[in-house]
Amino acid sequence: MRGFINLYFQNDKNKADNLLLCLKENSIIQRLPITPLNLSLISILFEENNFEIPATITDIYDNFNNLLLGRTLPDSRFAFFDINLRERILSVYALELLNRGERSYMTVDEFHTFFQTFFDPIKQTINLSLLPDALEFLINNTGILTLQDGKYVRFLHESYMEYYASREIFNNQRHLEEDLVEKFLEISWQYTAIFYAGRSKAMPEFLRKVIARTSRSTNNSDFYRSVHGLGYLIQALYLTEDSIRKEAVHAALKYVLEIYDWMKKMSSDEKFFFKALSLPLSVIINSFFFFDNFNSITIRGPLQIAFDELYEKLEFSDEEGNKKIDSNIAFKLFTLAMTLASPRIGHIDAMNKLVYDSILLNDPLFERLLDFGVSLVGNKQLYAIKEHLKSPTKAISTRHDVVKFNKGADELYLSAPVGRLRFSVYDRIYPDRNYLLLTEGKTDAQIIEHAFTVLTGQSPYWEINPVHVSQGGANELAKILQSIGTLIKDKKVLGIFDNDAKGNQEFNGLPKSKFNLVPEFIRLKKHIEADVFALKLPIPPFNEKYFQAEQRFCFFSIEHYFPEEYLIKHKMLATTPIPEVFEISDKGSRKSDFSKTVRNELSSDIFKDFVFLFRDIDKIFGVNEIEYQV
């Protein structure tokens, strides 16, 4: 590839280098057969408008199609098979395979029969007896179709199928645009959608529908595919308004935060590869996943608009007037600024603004991320910023107490595995979710989150956090619920109390001046002025022995949702004055060890009783569509 491109652009080395860099960095190249013909077409289009793949991938394939199918057929009897008819055969077959699913190819006989039937309505126009020979020509002479095992008709490359399917939908079956939207998170359909978008390059409504579809993503694979697909889709739609395309940028940043949260969970659960990832490394991995999919000059405008909108929300003042930064916004701004500063886009102003006009670098995490970013992006201007900041008179804002840590804790913050920092004061970047659960302790949060994931196969739609103050507990949870109403923005908050003696005491003690009982619940209170709720754990009806009238004999904790024999096996039960009623043992590190054990369990049978809690949570938050595997 390097040799070919250097020869083609032998009088313009910079253009050769830029195109080669584009081909090396762009993962969509994996969908493109690298042949001399394709490289020629890529080079021609790059020379004409300096737009890289994938913005021009549909144009490349259009030229490729015209060259291959524009050949004269060797027998004058096939004159009726002009290029339009040949295209139709390929596009109809491509769409049929796309609908069938992966590798469901037709046999040669099935292929012939299928098109005999397809063209039967126009048999007065064409001689169908010649169709088998014409089909054989397409298989043997175009380089687009081939025979697998001498029997199955398949496209020589998967991208040919996606390209021709997009032609069929665009030219003849526009009603299938809804399928492109609904199936956008399936890889072949996603690339077909990108080819489809490239036919027009200006499809605002289609883009809006795809963004709405990705908003229904529920698991890590969906989030990955959403970020990847949106990045390439808005490059293909480079003639669509920047104000619409920037919504895809915002959506992708939201999904990157979901991926980051999943990565933190994997580290906390000590899964292989993830367990040793530090906080800066796990953040930069996700920043550069976005970077890889949005690094294109065709989307500089949407990236810049998104940056400007988020920058206004970066800093705020707390109740004492101290300047703070929103860590989620900071992560997004850093990611956007790094992408804009890439050699391909070459716009350094956003990073300059973050470094010199904001207090972002007062957080040690972002100092480290800038160092990583300079090394990975390789932009000389970024390197100059880094070198300038080393000088004693570095031109950044006066240091504020942006992050309150224990003395000397910076190195722990930057080097400890991110899973160890999770649910601690050091863990400040979270997914953008509309609902927040607060628990009495860290193990409660870990267990509840994992139980939801096992029972649904999805990431939670709510954020969950333990009380950070001191050792947590019901008392601290009650204090936070009373004060959080003035702090939350556009979130519903639910505090979950154990149904034990202390949990009941603190739940019952929530002041009537601030909280009212919710009539349809006997275990739920709501803040009078805010969307803040307090819930006692529901006790499953078959565990009626834990329903106790006297508060001091209440012992039900989150661990009681596990089967009793499972708790006995792991030595988690301690006796109480009531026969057959047990409390959860809290000796030493037993709770944290138990949490680590259950987070390696994947059987829904073990977690099935958590559904009593989750259905309460869903009802409180007004979410009805969750299906639990019980």
Side-chain angles (χ1 to χ4, degrees), residues 1-6 9 13-26 29 34 39 42-43 46 52 344:
M1 289 168 63
R2 185 192 307 277
F4 182 98
I5 292 169
N6 283 333
F9 294 108
K13 188 176 183 304
N14 285 336
K15 188 162 281 190
D17 291 343
N18 288 339
L19 177 53
L20 190 65
L21 181 66
C22 166
L23 294 176
K24 285 169 62 179
E25 291 184 348
N26 210 309
I29 208 69
I34 299 302
L39 284 172
I42 292 168
S43 301
F46 191 80
E52 69 270 24
R344 190 178 301 166

Side-chain angles (χ1 to χ4, degrees), residues 101-237:
E102 190 175 358
R103 296 181 176 84
S104 297
Y105 310 123
M106 293 182 184
T107 64
V108 173
D109 289 343
E110 187 183 0
F111 186 75
H112 288 163
T113 302
F114 178 86
F115 282 102
Q116 287 280 351
T117 303
F118 181 81
F119 284 117
D120 187 67
I122 57 171
K123 62 185 177 183
Q124 303 302 323
T125 304
I126 62 175
N127 183 356
L128 291 184
S129 66
L130 298 176
L131 186 58
D133 292 331
L135 293 175
E136 289 299 322
F137 174 82
L138 287 175
I139 293 171
N140 297 323
N141 296 83
T142 62
I144 297 173
L145 294 177
T146 187
L147 284 182
Q148 179 176 299
D149 303 327
K151 181 179 181 182
Y152 298 100
V153 181
R154 71 174 183 86
F155 284 88
L156 187 63
H157 196 276
E158 196 81 1
S159 63
Y160 294 161
M161 180 196 75
E162 295 151 359
Y163 165 76
Y164 281 107
S166 76
R167 289 185 68 104
E168 179 64 18
I169 296 172
F170 190 88
N171 293 331
N172 303 298
Q173 302 196 50
R174 282 294 187 95
H175 65 281
L176 293 180
E177 183 178 296
E178 293 303 319
D179 287 353
L180 288 175
V181 172
E182 191 57 33
K183 299 177 181 180
F184 187 73
L185 301 185
E186 299 175 28
I187 291 300
S188 288
W189 282 91
Q190 184 173 105
Y191 281 106
T192 302
I194 294 168
F195 277 119
Y196 176 82
R199 310 211 67 76
S200 167
K201 301 176 179 62
M203 304 179 78
E205 287 307 312
F206 179 63
L207 177 56
R208 287 190 179 102
K209 290 177 183 177
V210 169
I211 295 171
R213 171 63 189 92
T214 62
S215 70
R216 306 202 315 266
S217 299
T218 59
N219 56 53
N220 200 52
S221 295
D222 284 354
F223 295 131
Y224 268 108
R225 290 171 181 173
S226 293
V227 175
H228 176 80
L230 287 174
Y232 288 128
L233 186 64
I234 65 172
Q235 291 178 60
L237 291 172

Side-chain angles (χ1 to χ4, degrees), residues 538-545 547 612:
I539 300 173
F542 50 79
N543 249 342
E544 59 184 17
K545 61 188 179 183
F547 288 99
F612 292 97

